[in-house]
Amino acid sequence: MKAACRMATLSLAIGLAFAQEEAQPSTAKRAEINGSMEFGYRWMPGKGGSEDVYRSIVNLGEGPKLFGAEASVHSPGGRLYDRVEFRASSWGGDPYSSWRLDVSRSGIYNFFANYRNIAYFNSVPSFANPSLDVGGLISERSFDIRQRFFDTELELRPGSRFSPYFAYSRSSGSGRGVTTFVTDGNEFPVATRLRDTSDFYRAGIHANFLRWNLHLEEGGTTFGDNQEIGFTGINVGNRSTLLLGQIILLRDLLQTYVVRGRGTFTRAVLEARPWSRLNVAGQLLYSQPSMDVRYLQQNNGAFLVLETLQSFTGQNTRSLADSNRPHTSATWTTEFRPAHRLRVIQTWFTDRFHAAAASSVSDTFQSASETFVTDESATQRVAFNYSRHQVDVIADLTPFLTVRGGHRYEWGSAAAPSGLVTSPASLAAELRRNVGLAGGTVRVRNSFDVNFDFEAARSDRTFFRTDLADFQRARFHSRYRLSKWIAWTGSFAILSNSNETLGMNLDYRSTESSMTLLITPNDDKRWTLLLDYTRSGLRTSIPYLVPQDRTNAVSRYRDDGNSGGANVGLALWRGAKLNLGGSFYIDRGSRPTRDLQPRGTISVPLFKYASWTAEWRWFGFDERQFSFENFHTHLFATGLRLGRGDTREQGKP
Amino acid sequence: MKTLLIGVLAAAEALAQASPEGYVGTETCVTCHEDIGRAFQRNPHAAVGSARAWKGRACESCHGPGKEHVKAAAPQQIFVFKTAEPAKANDRCLTCHSGDQTHDARLFGSHNRNQIRCTECHAVHHASVRPLLAAPTNELCTACHWSVQAEFRRPYRHKLLEGAMSCVDCHNPHGDLPQRDLRRVAANDIGCLKCHSDKRGPFPFEHAPVRFAACSTCHEPHGSANPRMLTRPNVSLLCLECHTTTTLRTGSTPPAFHDLRSARFQNCTICHTRIHGSFASQELLR
């Protein structure tokens, strides 16, 4: 009987196995493919105001565009993959173009590749412009570059006991800009060509066990910078007066940087649960980047060495430098649950590095009568040690109420070269800060929750004059779902920081309050409404010494920002959708600004897998103090959306 | 008769193997939760159901044995992530996910301290957004951190609302080293340097706050009303707030030829062009 049962069980098992094998091909064939793409054209009629500021803030252009494309293949049981997802957005000259590819086979591998091409344009006439008072509208610190980022990672056997991975990232930037060439007594706006590249390689392994996990990673970096700054012609610079009876001018210039960096880094992470009431985790991070610099400079014109009062017409500079920065960080955390509803979290963190550098500069100055040479070598050392220890006690008093309390102590020391001729060679600072922590969470079912946190600190030493010293910080946040279709959130935060040490008298106070209202009747089918409003305020004052006469003055800054947004979504006839809304930002503080961006979009289905889309936006930017920076423009875009499915994806956290 | 008996016994043994004590199997769950079952087939967690230990019991691998729940047809009789204590709910997820690369500093994270459930952001059953998110990343973050979204409406900002980046490019919501769950690059450099890698150094001539403090010493990382996302509209005041001689602090007053009445000296970066660190000048001039 027993043998018969076993036989029958075996037969059944074999039968089931065959059934599965037969089923597998049909499962594999059940690949689900979705995809869509949206393309069209964008116009910008009625553009007015500052083109440079428009490009610095918005930078959207005209022309044919691929607004977005998405595709996904879901193939359970597939041999090479069971999931492929692809997404691309904003191609056709837009400032933020990207694509991402994810391919995976469950339990075998995860792979992704991600590319972004970002346009950085920044030329704001009121910034770094010494000729602003006489009507000049050219910033002497501006750039127009493209930054490209590529990331890829392959993880093998994800979720298994040992899971190795390999990753590579590349960041490169190239473009043009305006910078200054600085000599004694004058500085000259000149053109610069920017080109840098960074590569990051890393590989590691996760070891996952029932009660502990270990993660080891080793990586390397390389960096290259090949900037060139050049000028030919006559450049009188920013100085409008003679210096010691001489005009300081530039006739030609070539500065070249050949910078090569490299480094290695190591990461080791251990997390363990030795006991059901105890979690421990530790990290050890170490990196050692280094850099070699070869700098060449050749300039001709009429110049002065103020220190020796010698004039010269040509200068040849050669500089060699190298630097390295060993950097160690470590953390140790324990989470202990002495009772069912009580958690004690203790964390310790330390971050310490020193940077050491050596450089030698050789300058050859030529004048009509003589040639003189100066050689200078220098070493620099920057040291930084920072530690913090924090204990949090978290108690779930009831299923609806959690209270928190704790203490944080931060301490450290820092030393850096002053960088200024008249100061001591090195400046040192220390940090000592005690922070008391309190907070709580109230949850009433799933419809209402309130979270609040409070910190109060006393510091007797800080690294910088503007650092947090004696401060109180409070944050309050609540969410309320009034009904299935009305949700409300509100938050308030305040930070008050002061430092009454003699010569400091820092006074800083910021507040931020915001609220949102979301109405989605009938589960988003007919209309939705989203409203939000945020008010932020900042008042700060700190005395400083006026460099030219060492008198006392006070730096005051005020930020009084109001921002909000609204969006109404309407479902029209036969699946057509209309969205109307926009956002505003109005600041009445130290730099009064108004930025309005209303918008409307419509989507009308044409066929089963095709719809027509159109968008209107308006950008209106006003600055009261710098009206020459105002701009306004309409933006119309229209396109076709083809395909089905929504394969939205986001960056992996 | 004997053959029939053998068949019944075999089926009973097979059922006993498929459904250990208290478990009912996915097929039973799907009887009532049909929509979840259908959506779950597209979910990476569906693979759990083909693993040896949880064969045919994918639902119960997270929700626990469902026999009592089936009998009583009451949600109280099974583990529900939405209503469970956050620590307990998260423990269930971490049974498998504690070793994930993104969770390396989980215990350190602010979301862990504030007991935010994994399911506040991750929708395990119905997620259509990678990686199993209930909504696109930025929407999820701003649902709680709404005032941060308002900072991205300031004119000079990181292009988050434009889709050029996402909150998780800079922050690790699962926790990271201090401060503010900021991501790290190359083991322990601040995450800003992943994109702004030309500021990483080490420079032969460093500017102390770039190394000692976060970039937020001078910049508003989300957005600002001031060009270059600076914390002050007037660059010279931004610099002089630190560069005023005070004992036991870094920063010293510039020499007297820096005459602030002249436009040339009202923006320090006209001369100190290498403010993040210089390759060739102690005064950060070139």
Side-chain angles (χ1 to χ4, degrees):
Chain A
M1 178 74 182
K2 210 173 181 178
C5 279
R6 279 184 187 155
M7 200 66 166
T9 309
L10 187 64
S11 306
L12 197 65
I14 291 169
L16 282 169
F18 271 113
Q20 278 184 347
E21 274 184 20
E22 283 168 10
Q24 269 180 354
S26 63
T27 311
K29 280 175 192 168
R30 259 194 300 122
E32 186 184 331
I33 301 171
N34 284 307
S36 67
M37 66 185 298
E38 187 178 347
F39 56 91
Y41 199 91
R42 188 189 291 136
W43 295 266
M44 297 175 61
K47 201 160 130 186
S50 170
E51 171 77 15
D52 283 345
V53 178
Y54 172 79
R55 289 197 63 199
S56 300
I57 293 176
V58 182
N59 210 12
L60 291 171
E62 290 184 307
K65 308 285 173 194
L66 175 66
F67 298 118
E70 301 164 341
S72 73
V73 181
H74 181 224
S75 172
R79 279 186 70 185
L80 295 176
Y81 58 85
D82 54 22
R83 187 181 295 264
V84 178
E85 291 176 357
F86 177 78
R87 179 187 163 95
S89 69
S90 304
W91 287 89
D94 267 1
Y96 330 111
S97 310
S98 65
W99 61 257
R100 183 182 167 108
L101 173 70
D102 285 83
V103 186
S104 62
R105 190 174 168 211
S106 185
I108 306 297
Y109 72 91
N110 284 332
F111 170 81
F112 81 82
N114 186 27
Y115 175 77
R116 276 185 278 191
N117 186 335
I118 309 286
Y120 281 128
F121 181 91
N122 200 304
S123 179
V124 179
S126 64
F127 183 82
N129 184 356
S131 61
L132 190 64
D133 292 345
V134 292
L137 293 180
I138 296 174
S139 169
E140 295 185 1
R141 300 283 298 147
S142 58
F143 52 81
D144 181 7
I145 58 174
R146 280 270 172 186
Q147 197 80 30
R148 296 169 180 85
F149 306 102
F150 177 73
D151 290 288
T152 186
E153 184 173 323
L154 173 67
E155 184 183 14
L156 300 174
R157 298 168 54 81
S160 64
R161 187 151 290 182
F162 294 99
S163 170
Y165 64 90
F166 308 89
Y168 168 68
S169 302
R170 183 180 180 87
S171 163
S172 63
S174 60
R176 302 170 303 158
V178 176
T179 187
T180 50
F181 169 63
V182 183
T183 63
D184 282 4
N186 205 350
E187 58 282 335
F188 309 89
V190 288
T192 175
R193 192 164 62 86
L194 302 153
R195 198 174 58 192
D196 65 80
T197 308
S198 297
D199 294 287
F200 295 85
Y201 312 84
R202 59 193 174 90
I205 188 164
H206 302 281
N208 302 309
F209 290 87
L210 195 63
R211 290 194 171 275
W212 60 275
N213 307 297
L214 179 66
H215 176 191
L216 298 172
E217 181 180 280
E218 187 70 29
T221 60
T222 62
F223 172 72
D225 193 333
N226 295 289
Q227 290 180 57
E228 273 188 16
I229 298 168
F231 176 81
T232 304
I234 294 182
N235 191 332
V236 295
N238 293 331
R239 188 178 192 94
S240 55
T241 57
L242 299 178
L243 179 64
L244 300 176
Q246 181 184 328
I247 186 167
I248 309 294
L249 65 86
L250 174 72
R251 290 188 189 278
D252 62 72
L253 166 75
L254 181 64
Q255 287 177 299
T256 57
Y257 295 82
V258 181
V259 180
R260 295 292 176 267
R262 73 196 70 78
T264 57
F265 57 89
T266 305
R267 198 154 69 108
V269 184
L270 174 70
E271 187 183 8
R273 191 168 195 173
W275 181 32
S276 62
R277 291 172 182 267
L278 181 67
N279 279 320
V280 295
Q283 293 197 52
L284 180 64
L285 315 168
Y286 178 76
S287 63
Q288 187 168 12
S290 63
M291 197 170 271
D292 291 319
V293 178
R294 204 171 73 220
Y295 170 76
L296 298 170
Q297 175 189 316
Q298 192 165 11
N299 52 289
N300 290 299
F303 310 101
L304 266 178
V305 180
L306 278 177
E307 198 176 352
T308 55
L309 299 179
Q310 287 175 289
S311 62
F312 62 94
T313 55
Q315 181 183 5
N316 214 314
T317 304
R318 288 170 178 273
S319 169
L320 292 172
D322 64 76
S323 57
N324 70 84
R325 187 177 67 226
H327 184 180
T328 308
S329 311
T331 65
W332 182 255
T333 310
T334 58
E335 185 182 57
F336 179 48
R337 302 182 193 188
H340 176 57
R341 293 181 183 277
L342 188 66
R343 285 197 301 161
V344 181
I345 303 175
Q346 175 271 138
T347 54
W348 169 79
F349 169 67
T350 189
D351 192 35
R352 45 193 64 218
F353 65 79
H354 70 268
S359 70
S360 66
V361 183
S362 172
D363 278 305
T364 305
F365 300 94
Q366 294 151 347
S367 66
S369 56
E370 61 173 336
T371 297
F372 53 99
V373 178
T374 63
D375 290 311
E376 194 180 338
S377 61
T379 57
Q380 287 227 347
R381 185 179 157 82
V382 174
F384 177 76
N385 296 303
Y386 168 84
S387 300
R388 68 189 253 169
H389 181 257
Q390 182 167 330
V391 177
D392 293 89
V393 180
I394 303 168
D396 295 312
L397 296 183
T398 72
F400 315 113
L401 175 64
T402 301
V403 293
R404 299 182 287 274
H407 174 260
R408 182 168 71 232
Y409 179 56
E410 295 170 83
W411 70 99
S413 61
S418 71
L420 293 171
V421 181
T422 57
S423 298
S426 179
L427 297 168
E430 290 190 338
L431 171 72
R432 299 279 185 275
R433 186 184 293 143
N434 277 286
V435 188
L437 311 164
T441 305
V442 179
R443 296 181 204 89
V444 180
R445 294 178 185 161
N446 283 323
S447 60
F448 178 64
D449 64 64
V450 178
N451 193 70
F452 58 94
D453 282 295
F454 178 74
E455 295 180 11
R458 295 281 295 175
S459 311
D460 59 357
R461 287 164 232 184
T462 58
F463 286 144
F464 300 103
R465 298 178 83 233
T466 52
D467 270 355
L468 289 174
D470 299 341
F471 71 88
Q472 297 84 44
R473 186 193 332 243
R475 282 179 292 216
F476 167 90
H477 179 261
S478 76
R479 288 186 296 182
Y480 182 39
R481 185 163 276 279
L482 191 64
S483 70
K484 201 174 176 183
W485 51 280
I486 300 182
W488 173 89
T489 65
S491 67
F492 176 74
I494 183 167
L495 170 62
S496 178
N497 179 34
S498 65
N499 191 338
E500 293 174 358
T501 310
L502 190 66
M504 304 276 274
N505 297 322
L506 166 67
D507 185 14
Y508 177 103
R509 182 185 172 87
S510 77
T511 58
E512 199 161 63
S513 47
S514 67
M515 54 189 268
T516 64
L517 178 68
L518 175 65
I519 303 177
T520 52
N522 301 321
D523 291 336
D524 198 5
K525 281 180 186 161
R526 285 192 184 168
W527 63 277
T528 59
L529 173 66
L530 173 64
L531 296 170
D532 72 86
Y533 172 73
T534 299
R535 172 85 190 259
S536 58
L538 173 64
R539 302 267 188 288
T540 174
S541 70
I542 184 169
Y544 67 94
L545 288 175
V546 178
Q548 66 263 27
D549 53 14
R550 294 295 195 270
T551 55
N552 282 306
V554 177
S555 168
R556 288 193 174 84
Y557 178 64
R558 192 165 66 89
D559 184 21
D560 185 5
N562 295 269
S563 79
N567 189 71
V568 184
L570 296 170
L572 305 176
W573 71 102
R574 293 187 179 180
K577 287 181 181 171
L578 176 69
N579 275 286
L580 295 170
S583 65
F584 71 87
Y585 174 74
I586 298 170
D587 197 315
R588 297 192 180 90
S590 298
R591 191 182 178 106
T593 305
R594 192 176 63 181
D595 190 6
L596 305 177
Q597 295 186 18
R599 69 184 292 178
T601 61
I602 189 166
S603 166
V604 179
L606 300 176
F607 313 106
K608 191 176 180 185
Y609 296 126
S611 56
W612 170 74
T613 61
E615 181 186 41
W616 164 79
R617 294 174 78 176
W618 188 74
F619 297 94
F621 179 75
D622 289 293
E623 285 189 309
R624 200 188 305 160
Q625 291 173 356
F626 308 105
S627 56
F628 49 84
E629 292 186 349
N630 297 353
F631 66 84
H632 55 84
T633 183
H634 290 279
L635 188 149
F636 290 102
T638 184
L640 276 177
R641 182 181 169 84
L642 305 175
R644 62 178 186 144
D646 183 4
T647 53
R648 291 179 299 172
E649 68 182 351
Q650 294 287 314
K652 195 176 182 179
Chain B
M1 186 63 188
K2 196 176 177 182
T3 314
L4 183 66
L5 184 66
I6 290 168
V8 170
L9 286 170
E13 190 168 335
L15 190 65
Q17 279 183 352
S19 303
E21 191 61 36
Y23 290 85
V24 293
T26 301
E27 292 292 322
T28 311
C29 305
V30 173
T31 310
C32 294
H33 304 284
E34 192 184 348
D35 57 330
I36 293 175
R38 206 167 33 240
F40 195 70
Q41 292 309 309
R42 296 189 54 183
N43 192 300
H45 283 116
V48 175
S50 55
R52 197 185 307 159
W54 295 102
K55 192 125 187 139
R57 292 181 287 133
C59 304
E60 290 162 300
S61 67
C62 297
H63 290 281
K67 196 172 180 181
E68 294 301 316
H69 171 63
V70 172
K71 271 186 188 172
Q76 295 87 347
Q77 299 299 325
I78 198 163
F79 189 86
V80 180
F81 284 76
K82 267 185 186 171
T83 53
E85 284 172 32
K88 281 188 176 176
N90 293 349
D91 277 352
R92 295 229 168 187
C93 303
L94 292 167
T95 306
C96 297
H97 290 286
S98 62
D100 288 3
Q101 192 183 159
T102 50
H103 292 172
D104 281 348
R106 178 184 61 84
L107 292 179
F108 224 85
S110 55
H111 284 167
N112 178 52
R113 280 172 211 287
N114 287 334
Q115 294 189 296
I116 306 297
R117 290 189 188 91
C118 306
T119 51
E120 298 265 351
C121 302
H122 294 283
V124 176
H125 297 146
H126 292 289
S128 61
V129 181
R130 280 182 46 80
L132 288 187
L133 293 175
T137 308
N138 297 349
E139 283 178 33
L140 277 174
C141 300
T142 52
C144 292
H145 304 279
W146 198 273
S147 56
V148 176
Q149 161 136 332
E151 291 172 22
F152 284 103
R153 288 204 181 115
R154 296 177 180 194
Y156 301 97
R157 59 183 178 256
H158 274 120
K159 307 299 184 191
L160 185 96
L161 303 180
E162 288 79 356
M165 58 194 302
S166 112
C167 303
V168 298
D169 284 329
C170 303
H171 300 276
N172 183 349
H174 299 124
D176 218 312
L177 302 183
Q179 306 266 349
R180 298 182 186 280
D181 295 332
L182 279 172
R183 282 182 181 278
R184 300 279 159 159
V185 60
N188 51 4
D189 279 335
I190 192 163
C192 310
L193 299 172
K194 185 179 178 190
C195 294
H196 302 280
S197 51
D198 55 321
K199 315 284 188 299
R200 183 175 179 232
F203 293 101
F205 304 99
E206 299 272 13
H207 187 201
V210 180
R211 296 288 157 242
F212 297 168
C215 307
S216 56
T217 307
C218 301
H219 298 279
E220 297 277 6
H222 296 143
S224 169
N226 308 314
R228 304 290 171 98
M229 297 167 64
L230 291 171
T231 55
R232 302 284 182 271
N234 187 322
V235 175
S236 62
L237 292 182
L238 171 63
C239 300
L240 287 167
E241 287 188 6
C242 279
H243 282 279
T244 285
T245 306
T246 317
T247 54
L248 293 176
R249 264 117 190 153
T250 48
S252 52
T253 309
F257 71 83
H258 292 79
D259 187 348
L260 294 188
R261 291 166 297 188
S262 163
R264 287 174 57 215
F265 296 99
Q266 286 168 8
N267 190 316
C268 307
T269 55
I270 289 176
C271 293
H272 301 281
T273 55
R274 306 285 168 170
I275 203 67
H276 298 107
S278 170
F279 298 122
S281 162
Q282 188 173 359
E283 292 84 15
L284 314 180
L285 298 174
R286 59 191 183 191

